[in-house]
Structures are given as C-alpha cells and as structure tokens.
Amino acid sequence: LQKSLNETFGADKYSEARKEVLTNMFSRPMQMALYFCTGILENETLFRHYALNVPFYTHFTSPIRRYADIIVHRLLSASLGASSPIKMEKEAIQRQADHCNDRKMASKRVQELSADLFFAIFVRVRA
C-alpha cells in the first residue's frame, strides 16, 4: 500500500500535502488504543496488544506531555517497587482513563475534520 501511495503522490509542490492527507485518511479505520485501569477488567486477555502479539502492554511518552502518561509512570514505578503506590482507587483511575479517552477521541475528530477541510479545499483548487 505504501509503495502504491508513494507512486501516486507525484513530485510536484503538492506531493507532500497529498501524502499527508491520504495517509491520514487510510489510517482512520484502524482501531484506536484506549486507556483503562487493569483493576477494573476481569478478563486479562483484554490487556493483550493485538499488533505486537504480547499478553501485557503499557504505553507512555514523556510525562510532561500528557496526564495519562504521568499516571502510567507512577503506576509502573510503584509496581516495580521504585516508589510508593499512588493513593487512588481503581474506580478513580478508570474515571481518569475514560476522561483521557474522551479527550483523545475529540482531538482525533477535530484533526480528521481539519484534514477533510484541507482535502476539500485542495480538490477545489486543483479542479
């Protein structure tokens, strides 16, 4: 798919813009990762990362970027014995995870609408 797309993009001044918009549009159907509290879910098979084919998975980036990453860092540090456990009930952690998921989905939707608008303008100008 990537090779086919690269051939389609061309080499004019709009090729990078076409590449970005089309790549974004093709990746939309992929299932979005969700934050969750493992203490809430009883079925451990739900912890599995499908694409990586691993039974347990956690993801985080720099904790200065997102609140969810701060929580993951703190929980991981406590689970490794490097710090004391955080003083949050699992239901409170799940509420925070739900809120982070809601904000992430809203952000993704705005990004998609922006790409749709750009693509519509691009098509209109090129027509």
Side-chain angles (χ1 to χ4, degrees):
L1 180 61
Q2 187 66 36
K3 181 181 176 189
S4 176
L5 285 175
N6 284 334
E7 292 170 1
T8 305
F9 296 140
D12 62 8
K13 66 181 182 176
Y14 296 110
S15 62
E16 280 302 311
R18 277 194 299 275
K19 178 180 180 180
E20 187 172 330
V21 169
L22 292 174
T23 300
N24 180 283
M25 291 172 81
F26 284 124
S27 67
R28 278 186 196 173
M30 299 173 116
Q31 183 179 3
M32 201 161 99
L34 296 174
Y35 294 107
F36 63 92
C37 176
T38 58
I40 297 293
L41 300 178
E42 293 180 18
N43 183 354
E44 286 189 4
T45 62
L46 297 174
F47 300 177
R48 182 169 202 80
H49 189 288
Y50 178 77
L52 296 177
N53 195 28
V54 292
F56 296 100
Y57 174 80
T58 190
H59 169 80
F60 54 86
T61 59
S62 168
I64 63 171
R65 289 189 52 210
R66 297 189 311 224
Y67 181 71
D69 296 324
I70 293 170
I71 297 295
V72 171
H73 274 249
R74 289 178 182 170
L75 291 168
L76 187 57
S77 178
S79 72
L80 295 173
S83 65
S84 56
I86 65 172
K87 294 177 176 33
M88 285 178 77
E89 297 294 324
K90 61 186 174 186
E91 293 79 13
I93 294 170
Q94 185 59 50
R95 282 193 301 276
Q96 290 296 322
D98 291 340
H99 177 73
C100 290
N101 289 331
D102 290 343
R103 297 294 84 215
K104 187 167 72 167
M105 283 186 238
S107 174
K108 183 172 174 54
R109 183 68 183 137
V110 169
Q111 181 182 7
E112 290 171 353
L113 290 170
S114 175
D116 290 348
L117 177 62
F118 175 80
F119 188 67
I121 292 170
F122 176 78
V123 169
R124 185 175 183 188
V125 168
R126 299 287 288 183

